[in-house]
Amino acid sequence: MRRTALLTAAAALVAGVLAWPAGAASGTPAAPAAFVHPGVTVSKGQLDFARSQVTAGAQPWRSAFDQMMASRYADLNRTPKPRAVVECGSYSNPNYGCTDEREDAIAAYTHALAWYITRDERHARKAIELMDAWSAVIRDHTNSNAPLQTGWAGSTWPRAAEIIKYTYTGTWANSGRFATMLRTVYLPEIINGSNSNGNWELSMMEAAVGISVFLEDKASYDKAMAKFRTRTAAYVYLESDGALPKTVPSQNLDTRDKIVKYWQGQSTFVNGLSQETCRDFTHTGYGLSAISHVAETSRIQGQDLYGTDVGERLRHGLGFHAKYELGGAVPSWLCGGSLKPGLGPIPEVGHNALANRLGHAMTNTETLTLRGRPAGSNNLFVAWETLTHGDNPA
């Protein structure tokens, strides 16, 4: 009797293990059996909701749409400025094509959104013109900021491309060439990650995940997601991590002193503290935004990371920084009692998923989100998230 029960239990355990998606045992999300399109950061359901609200004149979506359409990114007369080699040094010095590339990518995404909401084909054709111009020319990114630049532009291009390829009723003859650009120019620069400040690798993995969805590249998706999970755990501290933050093994942060130095000299760790909090909130915002974007893409592709430590880290990270962004008194133990605010237009995606959909109380994050509406663009890789994600139930 006992032997039979044990055999039955063992068989059930084996069956359960075999039923897990690849990588689940190690906590790494696996690529879906079939990719969902459009499926990078924003889904068709979310686009449909935004379109319905804008059409109805409902707020805040209508004002968010009007803001987007009044921006330089929605200009139908925009002339793309592609380069064969984009050279970006530290803090974009030198800046040979860096701003042009990022902003042309945002413009392509802006026109893709404008097409979807208005059904004005001029916007779809402008998005295609921008994507075609770059895919015909660009061959490389160089200098010290090349990985970050590739991550930022590479996060935005597939958002635009997904909407156009899978919703535009006209033709995009050079979509294959655009895919080749992502595969050969962007993906190799970012897929192996970075040991710089955490916002670099998070943005790079956001780009790698989005590109992998567009290319339907399961191996790259899995690799990027694994690096993303490791870096997210090392970027936002949770008290459940223990006395010290988690680390990325390749960085060899194997002593307390090394970890404290990497965390900008911060030696007291509390829920939601980021590796870059004591640097400034702007770079921290880049990291938190990338975390929310990857979590959103993963949810669209069938695996909801908001219910894992990724969601907990994002929830605490947003709440912790929102408190001080709103003017909360800074204690002496935190960054020597001095902070540099400036999170940017980044809380909408995380707030919608965690507060609206999952029901977490996020008072400070909600206050900051509402205060920032309609959220615009940071002119790097974040754009129009009140329109696409604000209070969006899809």
Side-chain angles (χ1 to χ4, degrees):
M1 187 87 172
R2 178 176 170 79
R3 177 179 172 81
T4 302
L6 287 172
L7 288 172
T8 301
L13 180 62
V14 170
V17 169
L18 291 176
W20 290 349
S26 62
T28 304
F35 284 100
V36 175
H37 304 289
V40 177
T41 312
V42 60
S43 68
K44 185 177 185 299
Q46 289 170 322
L47 290 167
D48 286 339
F49 174 80
R51 182 173 188 245
S52 70
Q53 298 306 104
V54 171
T55 301
Q59 298 297 356
W61 304 276
R62 182 72 215 192
S63 61
F65 173 75
D66 290 344
Q67 174 199 42
M68 179 182 82
M69 296 306 290
S71 76
R72 65 183 184 273
Y73 297 115
D75 184 359
L76 285 165
N77 294 314
R78 185 183 187 89
T79 301
K81 299 178 180 177
R83 283 175 179 255
V85 177
V86 173
E87 182 180 356
C88 307
S90 182
Y91 293 93
S92 291
N93 183 22
N95 180 343
Y96 298 135
C98 316
T99 301
D100 292 338
E101 180 188 28
R102 294 192 305 264
E103 296 197 353
D104 275 351
I106 292 173
Y109 178 53
T110 300
H111 284 289
L113 289 174
W115 141 253
Y116 197 88
I117 290 171
T118 68
R119 292 302 196 268
D120 183 338
E121 289 198 31
R122 293 178 300 166
H123 290 292
R125 290 195 293 268
K126 178 57 71 169
I128 290 169
E129 177 190 340
L130 289 158
M131 291 187 286
D132 282 356
W134 280 88
S135 70
V137 172
I138 190 168
R139 297 293 176 264
D140 199 11
H141 297 85
T142 62
N143 215 317
S144 59
N145 264 32
L148 182 60
Q149 171 72 17
T150 309
W152 281 341
S155 293
T156 310
W157 285 128
R159 278 186 234 144
E162 282 278 301
I163 294 171
I164 295 300
K165 182 174 180 179
Y166 292 100
T167 74
Y168 178 47
T169 49
T171 58
W172 181 14
N174 291 313
S175 64
R177 188 179 73 194
F178 184 83
T180 298
M181 175 191 81
L182 295 181
R183 182 180 295 108
T184 61
V185 178
Y186 288 81
L187 198 56
E189 183 71 41
I190 55 179
I191 191 64
N192 292 316
S194 165
N195 286 327
S196 185
N197 281 300
N199 80 86
W200 278 49
E201 187 163 83
L202 289 166
S203 287
M204 292 162 68
M205 291 310 105
E206 178 189 344
V209 165
I211 288 169
S212 296
V213 170
F214 186 74
L215 298 178
E216 299 197 324
D217 183 339
K218 294 183 179 183
S220 292
Y221 186 95
D222 286 347
K223 183 174 181 177
M225 276 294 190
K227 285 190 173 294
F228 168 76
R229 292 294 295 270
T230 299
R231 176 59 71 174
T232 299
Y235 194 67
V236 180
Y237 176 80
L238 292 178
E239 289 171 3
S240 57
D241 294 338
L244 293 171
K246 292 181 178 294
T247 62
V248 175
S250 60
Q251 293 190 262
N252 298 312
L253 300 173
D254 51 8
T255 68
R256 178 182 176 83
D257 286 348
K258 287 182 182 178
I259 291 172
V260 168
K261 181 179 180 182
Y262 185 60
W263 281 63
Q264 316 290 329
Q266 179 66 17
S267 58
T268 300
F269 303 101
V270 297
N271 277 334
L273 184 80
S274 160
Q275 179 255 313
E276 296 188 88
T277 300
C278 295
R279 180 187 185 188
D280 59 58
F281 278 24
T282 300
H283 287 89
T284 300
Y286 300 163
L288 293 174
S289 180
I291 291 170
S292 70
H293 292 165
V294 176
E296 197 70 2
T297 297
S298 180
R299 182 177 78 90
I300 294 165
Q301 297 304 327
Q303 184 156 26
D304 196 337
L305 295 181
Y306 291 114
T308 71
D309 78 295
V310 171
E312 277 295 281
R313 293 179 197 280
L314 180 60
R315 179 168 71 89
H316 284 290
L318 287 172
F320 180 84
H321 294 88
K323 175 182 177 180
Y324 298 110
E325 186 77 15
L326 292 168
V330 183
S332 59
W333 58 262
L334 178 60
C335 309
S338 178
L339 296 171
K340 298 176 183 177
L343 273 180
I346 60 103
E348 287 279 15
V349 176
H351 174 263
N352 186 55
L354 294 162
N356 293 339
R357 192 166 56 81
L358 296 184
H360 291 293
M362 299 175 70
T363 306
N364 288 327
T365 303
E366 180 170 342
T367 299
L368 185 65
T369 302
L370 295 176
R371 190 178 80 173
R373 287 182 173 175
S377 176
N378 70 354
N379 305 313
L380 299 173
F381 70 104
V382 178
W384 324 126
E385 293 182 351
T386 299
L387 175 63
T388 56
H389 291 82
D391 302 335
N392 193 320

